[in-house]
Amino acid sequence: MPEFLDLHSKTTKVLRALADGAMRRHGLHLGQNHLLAALWERDGSTPGEIAAALHVTTPTVVKMATRMTTAGLLTRRRDDRDNRLVRLWLTDAGRALQEPIEAERRFMEEKVTADLTETEREYLLSALAKIHRSASDLLSGPIDHVDSAIP
């Protein structure tokens, strides 16, 4: 496996395990924090709007929202103007998680980047943003495969 992809894969798995443990301490499954963050930014969004923002499918958001409704973190209500739409609204319990979840994420980020200088952190974020753009572009367009590059 190419060096970058191998290291990225290993790093992603470790970071995911750390994040999963951190979210579980707050009663969340990994990913639910992203749905909450979308609602902290724009409470009353539809599952489709959240799915688009998180780059997941609408059924994924609906499934998460069902679990989170049962846990008392959000409610579902029909849209006032269009009865076909359902909107997701934070409960007080869902709003109360914002500060501890954001603090947990900041703490985790500080710990995993503690051995980096400020310049290295800036370069890392810049490089990751470029890689994210390139990978996103590959997803949205036709991919030239290795076979097509060989004469």
Side-chain angles (χ1 to χ4, degrees):
M1 179 176 272
E3 184 180 3
F4 167 76
L5 292 178
D6 188 34
L7 183 56
H8 182 271
S9 179
K10 290 177 185 178
T11 303
T12 298
K13 286 178 184 177
V14 172
L15 289 173
R16 187 174 175 86
L18 284 172
D20 185 44
M23 294 307 106
R24 288 187 185 278
R25 284 193 289 279
H26 298 281
L28 298 175
H29 293 281
L30 190 58
Q32 291 178 337
N33 56 305
H34 297 295
L35 192 154
L36 285 174
L39 291 173
W40 293 330
E41 189 174 304
R42 191 165 165 232
D43 202 12
S45 295
T46 67
E49 291 167 343
I50 294 169
L54 299 180
H55 305 290
V56 298
T57 65
T58 300
T60 297
V61 172
V62 170
K63 186 176 180 179
M64 270 196 286
T66 299
R67 289 181 177 162
M68 295 170 75
T69 298
T70 301
L73 300 174
L74 56 89
T75 61
R76 291 178 165 140
R77 289 190 300 232
R78 293 271 171 207
D79 183 87
D80 294 337
R81 292 179 296 264
D82 186 345
N83 199 37
R84 296 170 297 172
L85 293 177
V86 171
R87 296 198 172 273
L88 304 177
W89 299 91
L90 292 165
T91 62
D92 289 342
R95 272 189 285 288
L97 283 174
Q98 183 172 4
E99 192 282 321
I101 293 297
E102 289 177 351
E104 189 86 53
R105 289 174 51 87
R106 277 190 305 274
F107 176 77
M108 206 168 50
E109 186 172 314
E110 288 169 9
K111 287 296 184 186
V112 300
T113 61
D115 290 341
L116 301 178
T117 66
E118 188 59 36
T119 300
E120 288 172 326
R121 279 190 199 116
E122 289 172 13
Y123 284 147
L124 175 63
L125 290 175
S126 174
L128 285 173
K130 288 177 182 178
I131 291 167
H132 181 263
R133 274 193 305 274
S134 294
S136 295
D137 289 347
L138 285 173
L139 274 180
S140 63
I143 298 176
D144 287 332
H145 296 280
V146 174
D147 293 344
S148 65
I150 299 172

